[in-house]
Amino acid sequence: MRILVVDDDPRLRELVSITLERAGYQTVTARDGQMALTHAIREAPDLVVLDVGLPELDGLEVCRRLRARSDVPILFLTARDDEIDRILGLELGADDYVTKPFSPRELVARIKAILKRSTAEGSTTFLRHGPVELDVSGHSVWVDGSMLALTATELSILRRLMQTPEAIVSRPQLIDAIYGAGSAVADRTLDSHLRNLRRKLGDQGWIGAIETVHGIGLRMGTWPG
């Protein structure tokens, strides 16, 4: 798989590239936002590692433009942990983030988890609940026949809930299903993805698509139609 690494710090670009190549990935690098967009179109990477603090065209704007034309998974590199509210809260469609300074092992683990979600195995499996249809093998979702654009993480959340639509899935169970058993993921990260997923389903006419059972977990709502 090919990964696009975007950072204006040449030493960090080299560190990330070497780390990923040792893990078995091919890498393409870009030093600024405009170059990142060019490479994303030309190289069609399987994932983008994107620094937030880029000069001129910053990572947030790069993410916006990529999301307008592609559902490629995006992992943000951010200098401060408190930026994540700004990053994921803006509904830009990022899949995950890593805070600088970071452990190379952590970076590889996060990338593997994202790619596993976005290339989940399945041949002809379809899940249906209410007006929602999810093609597991094609990684696509329709609501009342209209295709719904979801990130890999949003699709993984929806898939796990639709596998047992009437059952309540606890937050730890949901995190394990999405990120892997034992993953340390902040609640606000999951909340950001859930908020975006609920908004997208709500825009298609299903406001209560995902229910919160307070103190227990989440489940698919009952279609009122």
Side-chain angles (χ1 to χ4, degrees):
M1 289 187 169
R2 182 181 292 108
I3 297 176
L4 172 59
V5 179
V6 188
D7 200 292
D8 62 324
D9 184 338
R11 291 173 298 179
L12 188 58
R13 281 201 311 274
E14 182 179 16
L15 171 63
V16 173
S17 295
I18 291 173
T19 297
L20 295 179
E21 287 169 5
R22 286 176 177 172
Y25 300 108
Q26 297 178 11
T27 62
V28 181
T29 64
R31 64 178 179 270
D32 58 49
Q34 194 58 56
M35 184 181 292
L37 293 173
T38 300
H39 283 336
I41 296 170
R42 185 176 64 196
E43 302 290 343
D46 298 286
L47 183 141
V48 179
V49 176
L50 181 60
D51 183 30
V52 174
L54 295 172
E56 300 180 14
L57 194 64
D58 68 17
L60 300 177
E61 182 60 27
V62 173
C63 183
R64 287 191 190 95
R65 296 190 188 188
L66 284 177
R67 275 289 164 267
R69 60 182 302 150
S70 171
D71 60 356
V72 60
I74 296 172
L75 182 147
F76 273 128
L77 297 180
T78 173
R80 300 189 312 275
D81 185 61
D82 59 8
E83 281 185 320
I84 196 56
D85 285 331
R86 183 165 63 93
I87 294 168
L88 293 183
L90 287 174
E91 301 176 349
L92 294 176
D95 292 273
D96 204 352
Y97 75 102
V98 171
T99 305
K100 300 177 185 177
F102 54 84
S103 157
R105 180 179 296 180
E106 178 191 9
L107 178 65
V108 171
R110 294 292 184 96
I111 287 173
K112 285 183 176 179
I114 294 172
L115 291 173
K116 183 178 179 180
R117 297 195 299 270
S118 63
T119 58
E121 292 182 357
S123 53
T124 57
T125 305
F126 284 83
L127 299 174
R128 293 181 177 85
H129 182 67
V132 180
E133 297 183 353
L134 192 158
D135 178 0
V136 176
S137 61
H139 315 296
S140 52
V141 177
W142 292 268
V143 180
D144 271 343
S146 299
M147 183 171 285
L148 184 63
L150 299 180
T151 68
T153 301
E154 292 162 1
L155 194 147
S156 294
I157 292 172
L158 184 61
R159 176 184 178 184
R160 176 61 186 89
L161 293 174
M162 287 181 64
Q163 285 173 340
T164 55
E166 272 106 47
I168 299 172
V169 181
S170 70
R171 294 176 72 90
Q173 288 174 329
L174 191 57
I175 288 173
D176 285 350
I178 297 165
Y179 295 96
S183 297
V185 177
D187 280 346
R188 59 183 175 174
T189 301
L190 179 62
D191 288 339
S192 293
H193 292 303
L194 281 167
R195 182 168 59 248
N196 292 346
L197 178 57
R198 280 172 162 145
R199 176 183 57 79
K200 291 178 181 180
L201 289 168
D203 288 345
Q204 297 297 314
W206 194 1
I207 302 298
I210 299 175
E211 295 181 350
T212 296
V213 183
H214 293 289
I216 304 177
L218 301 111
R219 67 183 172 194
M220 294 300 297
T222 301
W223 173 240

